[in-house]
Amino acid sequence: MHIGVNVPNFAPGTDPGVLRQWAQTVEGLGFDLLMVSDHIAVTPDVAEQYPAPFYEPFTTLSWLAGVTRRVRLGTTVLIVPYRHPLLTARMAANLNRLSGGRLVLGVGVGWARQEFEALGVPYHRRGALTDEYLHTMRDAWRNTDDYDTEPIPLWVGGNSDAGMRRAVRLGDGWHPLRITPGWLVEAAGRLKTIADELGRPVPALMPRIALQETREPVTAPDRLAGVGTIEQITADLDQIRLLGAETVVLDPFHGDLTEIRQPERAWQTLAAVAAYTTTQEAR
């Protein structure tokens, strides 16, 4: 199972130097994938969770492609209705080509109503627009003379049945976000049921989980996967591996802005995870 890291690309304290450090840390520790989030207009509802400055993902990943060599680069998740699908298709194809085929495009429908209003995109049509735009993007990429790219993996986010159905119909992987261990076990079964109902293959499981190390075990029934002692975190990773996940993405941001300004603690936890996975691979 590959392991990726969701790197904060927002909030005071984030700047090109910090982003470079994050990228070099993620690649240096041997992780497989570096992902960033997507917002365009930092409206009040966005700023409550992701305050400015916000580094736009295609621009940011293009720059990080130049300061890394091996690690794959992706979005978790790109809000599909925010951009014209041919613009997204063009930027994604160019980034994939310029990075040597390292792009993973995680996509979603979005949630920030005020941001949709600021961009002039109808909030109530975001699901239908996402479906339409994903079809358009795939059609565009088939013209390899123009778009000049190898296939770009599409991971479809969304924890609801609608998100699972979209992943089955349009994605290469299903990318649920910040979930409990028990929920993921049940959801993996539900995903297969939906795929069988639609007569399509089951998309690969590519969850994004929290990453928050604690000194004492977390025993709350609603504990998120990836939260707890390093033993709990690694046990969660083992369980996700047994579910057949191809990739899991670790998200070290939990709303505390000091985590943005002082990423060293997150890096220490990532180093512990990297050491554990290296030991497992050696067995």
Side-chain angles (χ1 to χ4, degrees), residues 89-112:
R90 180 72 64 189
M91 291 191 295
N94 290 167
L95 174 53
N96 195 49
R97 187 76 170 93
L98 292 168
S99 67
R102 289 191 279 155
L103 180 63
V104 174
L105 202 62
V107 298
V109 301
W111 56 269

